[in-house]
Amino acid sequence: MAVGALAACGVRGPLQADRLKVNLLSRETPSSGFALDLWDLNDFSLLLFFSHRCSPGPPDQSFAAADSPQTQHGVIVCQKGSETRREIRGREMSLVPPSFLQSIEETGFSTWLRESESPFAFYFILLFHTFGLALLVGANAVVDLRLLGAARAIPLAPLKQLFRPMWIGFAINAVTGVLLVIAYPTKSLTNWDFYMKLTIIGFAMWVMYRLKSEIFDDASLDETSMMANGASLAKWSLVLWFGAISAGRLLAYTYKYLTFPS
Amino acid sequence: MNFSHLHLLLNHFPIIGTIVGLGLFLVSLVGKNGDLRRASLIIFAAMALVAIPTFFTGTGAQGAIRKTPGVSEALIERHQGSAMLALLFMEITGALSLVELWKSQGSSRQSGWNWTLSAVLLFSIVTSGLMMRVGNTGGDIRHPEIGSGSDVAAEESALSKLVERFEPSPGKFAELMTASKWWWAFMMDMHFVGLALVIGTVGLLDVRILGFLKQIPVAPLHRLIPWAMLGFGVNLVTGILAFTGMDQYYTYDWAFWLKIFAIMLLGLNVAAFYLTDAFKSVESLGAGDDAPPLAKFIAGTSLFLWLAVITLGRYIQPFADTVSVHK
């Protein structure tokens, strides 16, 4: 596969390496299949899209002179043991985010969300994302804590009613989350942490669904068996929500691009 | 009204309040008076809350007078350092008081001696001493007539000098808070976790008292309050640390001050809940029972104020630099 990717880059010639890393395709074949070995987790998210642009830079004279004329359009990173060599062939190119991110960013709605001075633009969406978080995680945490033995005097059965506000919280955050991605598509979609957050939320929602269907919907369970059966789900729920909040907060500190690089 | 004015209005409360609270606490211990003891614990908790805006207004007050002739930057720094140490002890005293109030709830009679009472006694004595030093070092900034000479710092007693060794240097402390973006990210993360905990527990109690989710009895829901206090405690600590890290940023931000104001109103709200008939009237509500209007009003206010706190917190960033003062 690595060879195929090299061919797509228009690179010929032997390469002395244990592992190959190729991080872009040529302009001519922008979306061929390729195998990549990553050295930066941040790039991982970019590769999910299989569409990369090449931005031509000045030719790397030293390399161009030494290699065959067919060699063009490629940045190759060769790794042999612990040694890493980054070779630039032909024109200098850099990995850039897929252009559809730019298209989203350039829409009027995205621009308004991002740049408007109105208090009802970006921060309003962010506010409701926080309200949704409080509703979803707050209610779920109370159910978890109760299952784990906190405030035992609360009867468990009526807590089933809390799953509705949790779903409302989730719905609010799904909608506001999409709006936040529309406001900063490059920032979120090129950040590995964003995919981690979605994954953790996926698991947390799965645990929440199982809490409802296996513990609260089972009328045959008494309180003791609800607690016994639900304890490990409740623990996982708390851990996963903590992880989801943390991954969400980290989005503000881990992004590679705030907006599409110009 | 400016920050100096606000700082001077507030700063006598935590100093004198703590000393008065300590006096009442000692009397209650000697006289074995349970009601008085609870009153003094409530005073400690209230002073712990009021100490926060008092501390926060200090930065603005400093900004207002630092250019004034005769005002020494070193004395301000010394005052700020002493305030940071006193605030730490004040918050611990307040937290311990709440723990003791929670443990002894429902019994106005004198219950036995326990570790929380010893801890409150110890911490309130230390806090009172530290508070006096905060007052003195603050007075030195603007009232040279109280001291005997111009070089007040050099004339300190041995005890003051000893205490000073434990006081953080404000500049270094701020640097510590902001040196690593991961530490900052961690504090903000915990601030959100605390938020979820508070809203989950207090919000649920409020919503139930307002008449939703009526199948849940109220009294057992109240057992979740320690979790709410844990969440609030986490947010109080991370909030104060964040402020000390970027005090200039928060000081000139309207959303920040309104948020602090809303938190103070929440303090009054809690007092209204527990010190009126409201709490008694909902304590015994079983499944399906409706709360009286006063309790509903307090619960509604609480819910509104918590949502306001979240809203104002979220708007701190876009409201940066909205407080215009002649800097």
Side-chain angles (χ1 to χ4, degrees), chain B:
Chain B
M1 181 80 87
N2 58 29
F3 283 121
S4 298
H5 192 181
L6 209 53
H7 192 60
L8 291 170
L9 274 178
L10 288 169
N11 65 20
H12 297 82
F13 287 97
I15 301 173
I16 295 170
T18 309
I19 295 167
V20 169
L22 177 60
L24 294 179
F25 187 59
L26 292 173
V27 170
S28 79
L29 294 181
V30 174
K32 296 197 188 314
N33 184 330
D35 286 336
L36 192 57
R37 189 163 86 191
R38 287 178 71 79
S40 57
L41 293 171
I42 291 168
I43 291 176
F44 288 142
M47 291 308 116
L49 197 62
V50 175
I52 295 166
T54 310
F55 178 75
F56 287 168
T57 49
T59 300
Q62 176 187 27
I65 64 161
R66 73 182 343 149
K67 298 272 164 60
T68 313
V71 168
S72 147
E73 197 79 16
L75 287 184
I76 297 178
E77 290 256 309
R78 187 180 64 145
H79 174 56
Q80 196 181 346
S82 70
M84 288 165 93
L85 189 66
L87 183 67
L88 172 69
F89 277 79
M90 182 80 252
E91 297 312 312
I92 295 173
T93 306
L96 289 167
S97 300
L98 289 176
V99 170
E100 173 57 24
L101 282 168
W102 176 263
K103 280 164 61 176
S104 64
Q105 64 179 316
S107 60
S108 57
R109 65 187 170 77
Q110 171 88 359
S111 46
W113 191 256
N114 59 49
W115 70 268
T116 29
L117 280 177
S118 325
V120 170
L121 180 63
L122 180 70
F123 276 88
S124 59
I125 290 171
V126 176
T127 306
S128 296
L130 292 173
M131 280 292 172
M132 287 191 249
R133 179 168 155 80
V134 178
N136 280 331
T137 55
D140 286 342
I141 297 170
R142 279 307 255 155
H143 296 282
E145 74 276 12
I146 299 170
S148 47
S150 55
D151 196 4
V152 268
E155 291 176 11
E156 284 184 313
S157 66
L159 181 65
S160 295
K161 281 188 174 140
L162 177 73
V163 171
E164 196 166 4
R165 297 176 68 139
F166 293 95
E167 291 168 359
S169 148
K172 277 185 192 155
F173 195 85
E175 235 170 73
L176 205 63
M177 290 300 113
T178 50
S180 158
K181 81 169 175 180
W182 302 115
W183 168 245
W184 192 268
F186 173 72
M187 289 199 298
M188 294 296 119
D189 183 16
M190 294 312 291
H191 208 70
F192 274 68
V193 172
L195 171 157
L197 204 50
V198 169
I199 299 301
T201 50
V202 176
L204 180 57
L205 185 61
D206 289 341
V207 162
R208 169 60 186 90
I209 292 173
L210 281 171
F212 302 93
L213 306 168
K214 272 194 178 171
Q215 290 170 350
I216 309 174
V218 174
L221 275 189
H222 188 250
R223 308 306 298 179
L224 288 170
I225 289 302
W227 292 93
M229 293 311 298
L230 175 69
F232 183 68
V234 166
N235 282 18
L236 189 129
V237 170
T238 49
I240 291 174
L241 290 179
F243 180 88
T244 55
M246 300 209 299
D247 60 347
Q248 299 294 328
Y249 174 77
Y250 292 109
T251 292
Y252 300 103
D253 189 313
W254 263 115
F256 171 77
W257 288 111
L258 289 174
K259 174 177 175 176
I260 299 303
F261 183 64
I263 293 170
M264 294 303 122
L265 291 181
L266 274 164
L268 287 180
N269 183 271
V270 170
F273 183 63
Y274 285 104
L275 304 179
T276 65
D277 288 340
F279 179 58
K280 270 191 197 126
S281 70
V282 297
E283 205 186 9
S284 52
L285 290 186
D289 291 345
D290 201 39
L294 174 67
K296 281 190 178 177
F297 174 74
I298 293 174
T301 314
S302 161
L303 204 55
F304 172 79
L305 286 171
W306 278 116
L307 294 185
V309 167
I310 296 180
T311 306
L312 292 162
R314 276 264 75 139
Y315 277 88
I316 286 175
Q317 214 174 343
F319 276 70
D321 255 329
T322 44
V323 178
S324 55
V325 289
H326 190 67
K327 274 189 247 182

Side-chain angles (χ1 to χ4, degrees), chain A residues 45-96:
Chain A
S45 44
L46 299 178
L47 299 170
L48 295 176
F49 300 107
F50 285 85
S51 103
H52 295 258
R53 290 190 326 167
C54 303
S55 47
D60 185 322
Q61 297 298 341
S62 58
F63 200 90
D67 211 285
S68 66
Q70 292 105 313
T71 304
Q72 53 183 330
H73 306 310
V75 175
I76 299 163
V77 175
C78 304
Q79 245 186 14
K80 193 171 189 182
S82 58
E83 187 192 2
T84 303
R85 268 197 311 154
R86 184 180 288 242
E87 297 178 6
I88 300 167
R89 299 202 169 193
R91 293 175 179 281
E92 185 181 348
M93 295 171 194
S94 59
L95 185 66
V96 284

Side-chain angles (χ1 to χ4, degrees), chain A residues 10-24:
Chain A
V11 175
R12 306 276 189 282
L15 278 154
Q16 304 292 318
D18 301 334
R19 289 156 69 215
L20 282 177
K21 294 179 176 181
V22 179
N23 80 336
L24 59 81

Side-chain angles (χ1 to χ4, degrees), chain A residues 17-258:
Chain A
D18 301 334
R19 289 156 69 215
L20 282 177
K21 294 179 176 181
V22 179
N23 80 336
L24 59 81
L25 295 175
S26 72
R27 190 189 293 280
E28 290 77 22
T29 50
S31 55
S32 332
F34 54 97
L36 289 147
D37 202 348
L38 306 159
W39 61 90
D40 179 351
L41 271 175
N42 258 321
D43 291 341
F44 175 69
S45 44
L46 299 178
L47 299 170
L48 295 176
F49 300 107
F50 285 85
S51 103
H52 295 258
R53 290 190 326 167
C54 303
S55 47
D60 185 322
Q61 297 298 341
S62 58
F63 200 90
D67 211 285
S68 66
Q70 292 105 313
T71 304
Q72 53 183 330
H73 306 310
V75 175
I76 299 163
V77 175
C78 304
Q79 245 186 14
K80 193 171 189 182
S82 58
E83 187 192 2
T84 303
R85 268 197 311 154
R86 184 180 288 242
E87 297 178 6
I88 300 167
R89 299 202 169 193
R91 293 175 179 281
E92 185 181 348
M93 295 171 194
S94 59
L95 185 66
V96 284
S99 59
F100 81 90
L101 297 174
Q102 191 173 26
S103 315
I104 299 174
E105 248 170 50
E106 282 169 355
T107 61
F109 184 56
S110 172
T111 310
W112 178 77
L113 279 175
R114 193 172 54 250
E115 293 174 7
S116 170
E117 303 258 315
S118 161
F120 297 104
F122 183 74
Y123 286 97
F124 197 63
I125 310 292
L126 207 54
L127 172 64
F128 275 82
H129 206 63
T130 313
F131 283 156
L133 159 101
L135 199 56
L136 172 58
V137 180
N140 205 339
V142 166
V143 171
D144 296 335
L145 289 171
R146 172 61 187 85
L147 280 172
L148 291 170
R152 271 168 199 269
I154 303 175
L156 264 173
L159 290 185
K160 187 177 167 178
Q161 290 175 296
L162 288 181
F163 284 91
R164 184 185 290 269
M166 286 181 217
W167 278 107
I168 296 172
F170 178 74
I172 294 172
N173 277 19
V175 172
T176 52
V178 168
L179 292 174
L180 291 172
V181 170
I182 291 175
Y184 285 98
T186 314
K187 181 188 177 190
S188 43
L189 296 176
T190 62
N191 188 349
W192 57 271
D193 181 46
F194 177 77
Y195 300 96
M196 197 164 85
K197 172 179 168 172
L198 290 193
T199 309
I200 296 174
I201 291 172
F203 279 110
M205 291 305 289
W206 180 53
V207 169
M208 182 184 123
Y209 172 78
R210 285 187 58 190
L211 273 173
K212 170 84 163 38
S213 60
E214 293 173 23
I215 309 297
F216 284 88
D217 282 348
D218 190 345
S220 68
L221 294 177
D222 61 0
E223 290 224 337
T224 322
S225 39
M226 281 173 93
M227 285 174 71
N229 297 357
S232 73
L233 282 177
K235 275 180 209 158
W236 273 109
S237 176
L238 287 175
V239 169
L240 287 167
W241 284 127
F242 183 81
I245 294 179
S246 304
R249 277 310 315 169
L250 279 175
L251 289 175
Y253 304 90
T254 50
Y255 60 85
K256 192 172 184 181
Y257 308 101
L258 186 58

